[in-house]
């Protein structure tokens, strides 16, 4: 089975801190995604990557950056955390190509910025 | 722009009964895919069912079926014989055009199954 692992389940940070959220997948998937989940808004795409060192902005990239130095790892970076970035962050991965390819998700990181 | 709408913030159902969770979508692309995911309180997103826009039959996976009405742009999830373990958030999603398997999600419906 595909496993997508997010390094932290809960994280508490201070305003202005630089925050790294790590995600690792073990099935050689080309595509990786970072979503943010907020009540009443569902999941919104922050960034995605379709290959090593390749990245594309999603719908809400402001205040975030990403890094993909290895195929299995996709990191989300909050350069200077703000309280409005308090949220659940979900990482996902998928194969490239087939239209019915589903996304496999990690368990999520609940980030609180104080 | 593509959009997914789930109009039911919360639903409840009695154990062993069937329940329908609504999902409507908007797209001008003739080729698209629709997904349903379940998110229990543990937080992990669990894939339930997929429907392609050209699929002739409604998708089914065990107790889950997708009532796909293309002309109405609706893709409702039907859960038969509800179980207590079905209590969770349910998200409808659509593959965006342009490849890369990006999904856009609805706001979700929280389902509570009562004994």
């Amino acid at each position: 089975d595909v496993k997508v692992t997010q390094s932290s389940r809960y994280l508490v940070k201070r305003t202005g801190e630089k925050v790294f959220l790590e995600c690792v997948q073990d099935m050689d998937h080309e595509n990786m995604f970072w979503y943010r989940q907020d009540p009443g808004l569902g999941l919104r795409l922050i960034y995605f990557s379709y290959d090593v060192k390749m990245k594309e902005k999603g719908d809400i990239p402001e205040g975030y950056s990403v890094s993909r130095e290895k195929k299995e790892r996709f990191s989300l970076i909050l350069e200077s955390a703000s309280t409005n970035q308090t949220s659940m962050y979900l990482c996902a991965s998928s194969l490239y190509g087939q239209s019915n390819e589903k996304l496999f998700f990690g368990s999520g990181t609940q980030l609180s910025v104080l | 722009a593509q959009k997914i709408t789930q109009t039911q913030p919360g639903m409840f159902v009695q154990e062993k009964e069937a329940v329908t969770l609504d999902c409507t979508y908007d797209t001008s692309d003739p080729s698209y895919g629709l997904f349903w995911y379940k998110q229990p309180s543990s937080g992990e997103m669990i894939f339930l069912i997929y429907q392609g826009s050209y699929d002739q039959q409604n998708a089914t996976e065990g107790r889950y079926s997708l009532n796909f009405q293309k002309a109405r742009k609706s893709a409702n999830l039907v859960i038969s014989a509800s179980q207590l373990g079905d209590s969770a958030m349910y998200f409808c999603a659509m593959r965006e055009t342009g490849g890369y398997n990006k999904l856009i999600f609805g706001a979700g419906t929280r389902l509570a199954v009562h004994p």
Side-chain angles (χ1 to χ4, degrees), chain A residues 30-105:
Chain A
E30 293 87 0
N31 297 336
M32 295 190 75
F33 308 85
W34 275 106
Y35 284 89
R36 169 179 170 158
Q37 180 181 357
D38 299 287
L41 297 177
L43 281 71
R44 293 176 293 166
L45 182 63
I46 304 171
Y47 267 97
F48 71 99
S49 169
Y50 53 89
D51 201 351
V52 175
K53 297 191 186 294
M54 305 304 290
K55 60 186 179 185
E56 293 283 343
K57 292 179 180 179
D59 299 315
I60 51 164
E62 296 77 19
Y64 304 95
S65 62
V66 290
S67 173
R68 193 166 181 200
E69 296 297 319
K70 294 185 178 180
K71 190 174 185 179
E72 66 270 20
R73 186 179 297 271
F74 191 36
S75 303
L76 180 69
I77 304 156
L78 286 66
E79 295 289 343
S80 178
S82 63
T83 55
N84 63 12
Q85 292 178 309
T86 291
S87 186
M88 169 71 88
Y89 291 87
L90 289 161
C91 175
S93 72
S94 79
L95 286 169
Y96 179 85
Q98 296 295 324
S99 62
N100 61 346
E101 282 298 334
K102 59 181 180 274
L103 268 59
F104 294 85
F105 283 86

Side-chain angles (χ1 to χ4, degrees), chain B residues 48-60:
Chain B
L48 296 178
I49 198 166
Y50 168 82
Q51 180 85 42
S53 58
Y54 294 121
D55 293 344
Q56 294 297 311
Q57 305 229 345
N58 286 346
T60 60

